[in-house]
Amino acid sequence: MKLNVRFFLILVMALGLFAQANSQDVSDDLREGNRLLKQEHYRNALPFFEKILTKEPKNTKALFGAAVCYLHRYSKEKALTYIEKVYALDSTVDKHIHFWMGRVYHQNYMFDKALEQYNIYQSNLSKKDLRQKDLAKYINQVNTAKEFVKNNQNYLVSNLGPVINSSYSEHSPVTSMDDKLLLFTSRRSNETSKEDLDGEPFEDIFQSKKLDGGKWSEPQKIQLNSGGHDASIQLFDNDTKLLVYKFTKGGDIYYTERNGDKWGDLKPFAGINSRDFEADAFISADGKTAYFATNHYKRNGDLDIYYVKKNADGSWGDPAELRGGINSDEDEDAPFITPDGKTLYFSSRGHKNMGGYDVFKSVLGDSGKWSEPENMGYPINTPDDDVYFYLSSISKKSYISSYREGGFGEKDIYEISYIPSVKINGTVTEDRTGKKVNNLQILFVSTRNTTKPVNESTNTQDGRYSATLTAYNSYRIKLIDGKDTLLTQELDIPFTADENMTITRDFVIPFIQKDSEVAIKLPEKFYSGKFLLRDIHFETGKSVLSTLNQNELDKAAEILKKNPEAKLKIKGSVQTNENPTLAQERSKSVSEYLKGRGVSATQLEVVDGFTDGSIVGLESNFKGTPTMEFDKSIINSAAVGASFILRNVHFETAKWDLNEVSRDELDLLISILKENPTLNIEIGGYTDNLGEDAANQILSEKRAKSVEEYLLNNGIDKSHLSVVGYGEASPLAPNDSEEGRVLNRRTEIRILGK
């Protein structure tokens, strides 16, 4: 026993020494990670934080440090995961936590949350704090980003892939006149790479050739690279000359001429370079003007765009600032001039901006003045840096350097393609007869935000239609006759660069008997009995009527006013997890609304509420004679094509089972069909918008078939029933609340003929 105790004590001592050593290692790693983080050496700081997290997954300081590193390198998505995790563990881990959460949400397109965090951080600063200006700028950027993402432009932005891009920064794309040679700048590491003070390799210029099939060859360094930063800027003068950036004297612009397969010696651009920072330049197609970005003329050190003109003797004149509101109090960089010299593209951290650098466009007017800069919008611009915009010489494609989700590291090079409009046409005919259908409205509704949302409407003439849509989008197509939707289909248009693309899509609508009226005999029980007022549903835990309820109650009010002998018993309902007193409050809300619409209080009776786990509505009981004018919303008219909604045949999310309440309503429908044995109807199933479109289509069909099966089991002839699933089509109410979604999960009956 003594031996065992001694062994135990030795083991405890060993574990204690190990824990002490481990704790020291964590402290050392955290100290080094934070030191590098303060110097903005994110790539080198991150491994220290990750090393700690392998030992202590809930170390809040390491999680916070890693989140900031991931935001600047590698993955904004991981930054989001880490920052939310650390905030849940310790919301006081850093005094700037709300600022960094705002930045992470901003970069992850979670704009409302970003505003919330920015506002919290701003409210904790004094009004004289210099950071107030920065916070106001970030808040403006978030609001701009919300606007631009909501109204996205018709461009497809595609990553050039892992051959061109690496986990390091790639930027400054430059293409040859035939678009077959790509020069770009990268900080990727190799055996000869030297590191800058930030711990990452210096920038080098690489080139890649376009192969058959449009792929790019493995990039190779060009011989112009030095031991410091070198960057590609522009190929010009029929690709015989090249502008490059070198980190000399704070940053200068150089040029070189092609000598066979190699470039000649670099020469400084004397008309541009100063003792300060010249970041970028671009020479016009006629060779007479050079535009460049410099901080030489600003006290606060931000970059502005200037230009120089070539003199008759070939020398360059004095620099002049580019006017027209181009320059702001933030950085302007990377000018690009179109061959006609009339359009300027540049990147700026100022103006109306989504965040970081955005690409802007300005046009030279007839008066010689540049127009107010216009943000190119989303998806060309993002909440992060989007810079070095470069147009192809032979196509409508362009290139950009950007740091966006789905990339390979920091900045990547992307290809931008314009998404054109396409034509769609075809015929509309009727099932069974094959006749062409005229004067039918066809509505195309955008269902995907990959392009600027465009809803198009056209009408058939001679059974034909034609419309203009946008490629790389999805549409829900509705064929509408008056108030009735006869057919709903989906259309997915892939990306194409062909502006002359035409799609042919023919439609066949269901045959509808052409009788203008169908005499329908209604059974006596149709005029009195228990049912749910169709649209009266409440949000969980609430008794306040919304605008979604008013339409149904207005109809009920008109019925009661036309039939003063009729009475309405109102009995509220709640779910099993709600306060039962809500049922009475809901009943009173309805009663007060009806009285406000002119219904006599003597016609209304409010009774005690009840609890039902499946519905949130009102049990009602109209009492009157079979001659009273009944609710036209049940059957709008006796005309062929008229439709009505089964009032209380609603479904739970993702389900198609019928409950007892549903069967009460279906029994009423069965009585109508048995009184009218030759009546033909369509059973239409509908869903809300939760879930995938394809799954909702299947679900709607299952719901319609559930109703059909119940009717068949109760003696209705199958030959008089048609079943259609409409998926998410034609919602009765917005799908942004449970109240609205309940209404949209419905079964609708359409009279086809007799």
Side-chain angles (χ1 to χ4, degrees):
M1 175 64 74
K2 289 183 179 180
L3 182 62
N4 289 339
V5 171
R6 182 183 179 188
F7 175 78
F8 177 74
L9 292 173
I10 292 173
L11 178 61
V12 169
M13 290 174 64
L15 290 174
L17 291 172
F18 175 78
Q20 185 177 2
N22 185 61
S23 177
Q24 183 63 45
D25 288 343
V26 168
S27 297
D28 291 344
D29 288 337
L30 189 61
R31 187 181 304 107
E32 183 62 14
N34 284 329
R35 183 186 70 81
L36 293 168
L37 183 61
K38 288 179 181 178
Q39 296 176 358
E40 299 183 0
H41 295 182
Y42 305 110
R43 181 181 290 273
N44 292 338
L46 181 61
F48 288 98
F49 297 128
E50 287 288 16
K51 180 181 177 183
I52 295 170
L53 294 173
T54 60
K55 304 173 184 177
E56 300 178 6
K58 294 185 178 181
N59 187 303
T60 55
K61 293 183 179 180
L63 281 168
F64 177 74
V68 175
C69 290
Y70 276 123
L71 182 64
H72 291 85
R73 295 289 191 275
Y74 308 119
S75 171
K76 299 170 191 175
E77 296 86 350
K78 281 191 175 181
L80 175 62
T81 300
Y82 279 46
I83 202 78
E84 289 188 330
K85 185 175 182 179
V86 72
Y87 189 77
L89 291 169
D90 181 7
S91 62
T92 64
V93 65
D94 186 272
K95 63 181 180 180
H96 305 297
I97 182 68
H98 291 292
F99 169 78
W100 285 111
M101 290 187 75
R103 297 296 296 146
V104 172
Y105 285 135
H106 187 172
Q107 299 300 323
N108 280 278
Y109 296 81
M110 302 169 72
F111 301 128
D112 290 335
K113 288 188 175 183
L115 288 173
E116 180 182 357
Q117 295 299 321
Y118 282 149
N119 285 325
I120 292 173
Y121 187 72
Q122 188 180 44
S123 66
N124 292 327
L125 300 176
S126 69
K127 292 184 178 180
K128 295 183 179 180
D129 196 307
L130 296 178
R131 287 170 291 184
Q132 287 282 6
K133 183 178 179 181
D134 289 334
L135 264 296
K137 178 181 71 174
Y138 288 134
I139 290 170
N140 286 335
Q141 288 176 349
V142 172
N143 287 321
T144 298
K146 285 182 67 175
E147 174 190 341
F148 286 169
V149 171
K150 184 178 180 181
N151 299 284
N152 54 322
Q153 302 301 305
N154 294 335
Y155 293 97
L156 174 63
V157 183
S158 307
N159 193 295
L160 283 189
V163 173
I164 299 298
N165 295 310
S166 70
S167 63
Y168 291 84
S169 174
E170 277 76 37
H171 60 83
S172 302
V174 174
T175 57
S176 58
M177 292 188 68
D178 61 4
D179 211 24
K180 292 184 178 180
L181 177 68
L182 173 68
L183 298 176
F184 66 96
T185 304
S186 176
R187 300 192 74 172
R188 65 188 64 193
S189 178
N190 58 45
E191 65 278 359
T192 62
S193 297
K194 295 182 179 180
E195 290 189 352
D196 197 358
L197 295 176
D198 62 2
E200 297 192 28
F202 283 102
E203 295 169 320
D204 282 330
I205 303 172
F206 290 77
Q207 70 176 19
S208 176
K209 296 180 180 180
K210 186 172 286 187
L211 306 173
D212 293 340
K215 294 183 178 181
W216 294 98
S217 66
E218 190 68 30
Q220 302 294 325
K221 283 187 178 182
I222 66 174
Q223 88 277 7
L224 295 175
N225 293 311
S226 65
H229 288 295
D230 304 283
S232 47
I233 294 180
Q234 180 194 6
L235 281 167
F236 65 104
D237 203 0
N238 292 320
D239 295 345
T240 63
K241 297 175 183 177
L242 175 67
L243 284 182
V244 300
Y245 164 89
K246 292 181 70 65
F247 187 60
T248 58
K249 300 178 183 178
D252 285 331
I253 308 300
Y254 289 76
Y255 68 94
T256 177
E257 295 188 40
R258 189 184 295 277
N259 184 6
D261 293 335
K262 294 186 178 181
W263 294 104
D265 294 337
L266 289 170
K267 300 176 182 179
F269 203 132
I272 289 178
N273 294 327
S274 70
R275 65 181 181 275
D276 295 310
F277 180 38
E278 279 70 49
D280 212 322
F282 200 90
I283 297 177
S284 61
D286 62 11
K288 296 180 179 180
T289 308
Y291 301 84
F292 62 101
T294 179
N295 70 352
H296 181 62
Y297 303 98
K298 277 291 186 71
R299 291 182 179 179
N300 64 354
D302 68 292
L303 292 168
D304 282 343
I305 297 178
Y306 277 68
Y307 69 96
V308 291
K309 290 281 189 180
K310 182 174 283 189
N311 298 318
D313 62 0
S315 64
W316 292 97
D318 294 332
E321 183 178 359
L322 199 61
R323 300 295 182 179
I326 302 299
N327 294 315
S328 69
D329 57 358
E330 299 281 351
D331 289 324
E332 276 72 44
D333 198 0
F336 181 100
I337 300 291
T338 54
D340 62 5
K342 293 184 178 180
T343 304
L344 166 71
Y345 295 94
F346 66 99
S347 292
S348 174
R349 298 182 192 270
H351 302 294
K352 188 175 181 179
N353 186 292
M354 291 179 65
Y357 274 111
D358 277 1
V359 178
F360 290 81
K361 179 175 78 171
S362 179
V363 178
L364 185 64
D366 295 336
S367 63
K369 294 183 178 180
W370 290 98
S371 65
E372 189 71 20
E374 175 190 355
N375 192 303
M376 293 290 288
Y378 177 82
I380 290 179
N381 291 318
T382 68
D384 212 310
D385 283 338
D386 306 287
V387 68
Y388 305 115
F389 183 86
Y390 204 97
L391 277 171
S392 167
S393 298
I394 62 171
S395 71
K396 291 189 176 182
K397 291 183 178 180
S398 50
Y399 300 88
I400 195 173
S401 177
S402 184
Y403 179 25
R404 58 185 72 202
E405 56 185 327
F408 292 93
E410 195 202 340
K411 289 186 181 72
D412 281 353
I413 296 175
Y414 290 81
E415 181 182 78
I416 302 171
S417 302
Y418 176 70
I419 300 173
S421 297
V422 298
K423 299 289 186 181
I424 181 170
N425 57 40
T427 60
V428 181
T429 55
E430 187 179 58
D431 191 16
R432 288 176 56 180
T433 67
K435 291 182 179 179
K436 295 179 180 178
V437 182
N438 294 323
N439 301 317
L440 195 69
Q441 183 189 20
I442 304 180
L443 184 63
F444 300 87
V445 181
S446 298
T447 57
R448 191 172 65 183
N449 290 328
T450 49
T451 59
K452 191 173 183 179
V454 176
N455 296 336
E456 183 73 18
S457 178
T458 187
N459 288 72
T460 56
Q461 294 181 357
D462 245 357
R464 298 194 61 82
Y465 75 93
S466 177
T468 300
L469 305 177
T470 305
Y472 198 54
N473 206 333
S474 294
Y475 292 87
R476 176 163 295 124
I477 307 171
K478 297 182 179 181
L479 280 72
I480 302 170
D481 184 12
K483 295 183 179 180
D484 296 320
T485 300
L486 305 181
L487 186 68
T488 301
Q489 290 189 4
E490 305 294 326
L491 173 66
D492 185 72
I493 306 178
F495 171 76
T496 178
D498 182 8
E499 296 184 9
N500 299 313
M501 179 178 176
T502 299
I503 299 170
T504 300
R505 185 74 170 261
D506 297 329
F507 300 102
V508 179
I509 63 170
F511 168 75
I512 297 178
Q513 187 173 323
K514 298 305 180 184
D515 307 37
S516 61
E517 295 287 330
V518 174
I520 299 177
K521 184 179 180 182
L522 300 178
E524 184 173 336
K525 68 175 291 186
F526 192 77
Y527 291 94
S528 65
K530 184 178 74 174
F531 59 90
L532 290 180
L533 287 173
R534 183 176 71 240
D535 293 350
I536 313 303
H537 293 268
F538 296 86
E539 294 183 42
T540 302
K542 295 184 179 180
S543 61
V544 179
L545 286 168
S546 76
T547 55
L548 296 178
N549 297 319
Q550 293 175 2
N551 185 46
E552 178 79 359
L553 289 177
D554 288 345
K555 293 174 183 177
E558 290 304 311
I559 295 171
L560 289 166
K561 286 190 291 183
K562 290 178 182 178
N563 301 272
E565 77 286 0
K567 296 183 182 296
L568 181 64
K569 181 185 291 185
I570 306 171
K571 191 174 186 179
S573 163
V574 294
Q575 293 183 5
T576 52
N577 60 345
E578 292 182 306
N579 188 336
T581 59
L582 269 177
Q584 188 82 351
E585 293 172 10
R586 288 168 174 169
S587 300
K588 290 179 180 178
S589 292
V590 172
S591 177
E592 291 303 314
Y593 184 89
L594 291 173
K595 285 190 285 186
R597 288 295 185 272
V599 177
S600 171
T602 60
Q603 292 181 268
L604 303 173
E605 180 184 359
V606 176
V607 299
D608 292 338
F610 69 98
T611 300
D612 187 304
S614 62
I615 59 173
V616 184
L618 294 165
E619 179 186 348
S620 310
N621 193 337
F622 270 122
K623 294 181 179 180
T625 66
T627 58
M628 68 180 277
E629 292 187 46
F630 203 70
D631 185 352
K632 297 297 185 183
S633 70
I634 296 179
I635 294 184
N636 297 310
S637 70
V640 172
S643 62
F644 60 94
I645 296 168
L646 296 177
R647 289 176 173 275
N648 51 350
V649 181
H650 292 281
F651 298 89
E652 295 181 41
T653 301
K655 294 185 178 181
W656 57 91
D657 302 322
L658 293 172
N659 56 25
E660 290 300 325
V661 177
S662 300
R663 293 187 176 95
D664 289 342
E665 181 78 358
L666 290 175
D667 288 343
L668 186 58
L669 175 62
I670 290 169
S671 68
I672 296 174
L673 294 175
K674 287 185 176 180
E675 289 282 355
N676 302 269
T678 62
L679 191 65
N680 298 319
I681 65 169
E682 175 192 278
I683 305 168
Y686 294 81
T687 70
D688 56 33
N689 71 341
L690 297 181
E692 298 294 329
D693 288 356
N696 283 337
Q697 179 62 36
I698 295 172
L699 180 60
S700 69
E701 293 170 3
K702 289 182 176 180
R703 288 175 174 172
K705 287 184 180 298
S706 292
V707 173
E708 180 194 39
E709 183 179 355
Y710 187 83
L711 299 181
L712 294 175
N713 290 338
N714 284 273
I716 303 302
D717 192 332
K718 184 177 179 63
S719 64
H720 296 292
L721 306 178
S722 175
V723 176
V724 180
Y726 288 101
E728 306 170 14
S730 304
L732 293 176
N735 278 295
D736 53 6
S737 68
E738 178 57 22
E739 178 186 13
R741 290 191 291 270
V742 166
L743 299 181
N744 295 331
R745 300 192 295 266
R746 69 191 189 278
T747 303
E748 194 165 317
I749 303 299
R750 180 188 306 235
I751 301 171
L752 299 180
K754 192 171 183 180

